[in-house]
Amino acid sequence: VNLSTLSSRLAAKFRTRFAPSPTGFLHLGHVVSAMYVWGIARALNGTVLLRIEDHDRERSRAEYETALLEDLDWLGFVPDVDDSGASCVRQSERAAVYERAVEGLRASGLVYACRCSRREIERASEPGESERRYPGTCRMAGLQDGPGRGLRVRMDAGVEEFEDGLMGLQRQDPSAQCGDVLIRDRVGQWTYQLAATADDIAQGIDLVVRGEDLLASTGRQIRVMRLLGRQAPPVYVHHPLVYGAPGVKLSKANRDVGVRELRAAGLARADVLGLAAARAGILRAPRPLRVDELAGVLEASGRTGE
Ligand SMILES: [Zn+2]
């Protein structure tokens, strides 16, 4: 990652966030993400906020949250505090923020109720589509919002363009990729697309760092952000995932090597950081890595690799 280019695109005092879901233990994929978040923020004088993305109430567990925070601390990734002095927010406590965001969308007539199940949408998708596209079945149906109904926001045709800090220029048309975005599911839970976007606006996030597996959903988040009233999107950095050999994605079991297990096996934190960096291609081979070396290593990995 080119720190001077990133720096020129960010304000002198910018904010970024680390936003894990407490649906499991901290694994090497998280560690890579944290390395980019803290590495860039510490090098460029940014603030790191912590957000627990527990919008999915079925899968989130308090014990996972406790363990995530403890492992992060052990690794030396310490969050800063926001304007109110808090170092961590939880999506499960922010329903009022999401309600308010959606009120604005409703007022502009962009939101409608949807009764379609996942299976129905699957059946209506065109064969060969890279992801399931909602075909707009309920758009004109004028359904009442209520129990068993989801909420969608209209995605009109149009391209969202952004310059990713690692992946370069991206152009995405959400109306062609996914169609109208689900913002509240049929169970009544706010979706990731809505909650993460509303939080990025409310917390004034300038830099979003996340795995390259989420690259395809960034255009729709930028669009939702614009509809919610923020015109200038954050700077995005989509980082490499954890791989085995170059280009070979490890099995899920391998990829999700837990920090707990590595600690229990006697690895020091510098060993865990070095292992994660090597698995993501940031280092050519594992070696002990200190948190204060991260910026230099990330910068070098964008050019020649170490
Ligand atoms: Zn529908």
Side-chain angles (χ1 to χ4, degrees):
V1 64
N2 188 323
L3 290 174
S4 57
T5 305
L6 262 189
S7 170
S8 70
R9 299 177 60 198
L10 291 163
K13 288 200 169 295
F14 67 92
R15 286 179 176 185
T16 186
R17 80 307 200 269
F18 184 70
S21 295
T23 55
F25 293 109
L26 202 74
H27 56 70
L28 289 182
H30 291 117
V31 177
V32 170
S33 213
M35 285 169 46
Y36 276 93
V37 168
W38 270 273
I40 294 170
R42 292 296 174 253
L44 303 181
N45 204 24
T47 297
V48 181
L49 302 180
L50 193 62
R51 180 195 304 156
I52 303 296
E53 295 204 331
D54 58 353
H55 58 96
D56 184 341
R57 304 307 298 146
E58 303 244 319
R59 293 172 58 223
S60 299
R61 302 260 183 284
E63 59 264 38
Y64 287 138
E65 180 186 320
T66 306
L68 287 169
L69 297 179
E70 212 265 320
D71 284 340
L72 274 180
D73 194 61
W74 180 79
L75 286 163
F77 295 125
V78 180
D80 303 308
V81 294
D82 65 17
D83 299 335
S84 67
S87 65
C88 174
V89 299
R90 274 172 210 86
Q91 290 188 325
S92 57
E93 295 166 356
R94 293 169 65 77
V97 172
Y98 311 136
E99 298 279 359
R100 256 201 316 277
V102 172
E103 277 323 301
L105 292 178
R106 279 188 205 270
S108 44
L110 294 167
V111 171
Y112 62 89
C114 167
R115 67 179 162 209
C116 302
S117 67
R118 191 179 284 255
R119 181 170 301 182
E120 283 167 331
I121 294 167
E122 226 161 284
R123 270 204 299 266
S125 304
E126 304 279 340
E129 280 179 340
S130 62
E131 70 173 305
R132 229 170 276 134
R133 180 181 176 279
Y134 180 68
T137 318
C138 304
R139 206 189 236 211
M140 308 308 281
L143 299 171
Q144 284 287 333
D145 186 13
R149 299 266 158 91
L151 279 183
R152 290 185 184 272
V153 61
R154 285 177 67 120
M155 293 289 113
D156 291 325
V159 170
E160 296 294 341
E161 208 175 84
F162 61 98
E163 179 78 30
D164 186 86
L166 277 169
M167 319 274 289
L169 184 67
Q170 307 292 317
R171 306 182 85 242
Q172 299 176 357
D173 179 354
S175 70
Q177 288 176 290
C178 61
D180 298 342
V181 168
L182 190 70
I183 54 175
R184 199 195 65 209
D185 67 19
R186 297 198 304 159
V187 183
Q189 299 190 119
W190 299 108
T191 61
Y192 169 74
Q193 305 293 358
L194 187 275
T197 307
D199 284 337
D200 283 339
I201 296 174
Q203 295 186 287
I205 299 299
D206 309 291
L207 171 68
V208 173
V209 175
R210 52 193 206 156
E212 64 187 21
D213 52 334
L214 292 172
L215 183 65
S217 67
T218 299
R220 73 199 64 163
Q221 290 191 11
I222 291 173
R223 176 72 61 81
V224 171
M225 198 172 271
R226 290 193 207 285
L227 297 177
L228 290 175
R230 176 168 159 180
Q231 293 308 316
V235 174
Y236 287 88
V237 172
H238 289 85
H239 61 73
L241 303 177
V242 168
Y243 292 95
V248 182
K249 200 165 169 179
L250 293 181
S251 72
K252 184 155 175 64
N254 265 331
R255 191 171 77 237
D256 294 348
V257 176
V259 173
R260 307 241 117 180
E261 294 143 54
L262 297 172
R263 287 174 67 177
L267 272 73
R269 76 181 185 189
D271 301 323
V272 175
L273 294 179
L275 183 62
R279 288 284 184 86
I282 299 165
L283 290 177
R284 284 206 187 135
R287 66 157 175 88
L289 189 60
R290 296 188 317 271
V291 171
D292 63 6
E293 290 180 87
L294 286 177
V297 167
L298 291 178
E299 179 123 65
S301 74
R303 297 197 297 263
T304 52
E306 187 179 318

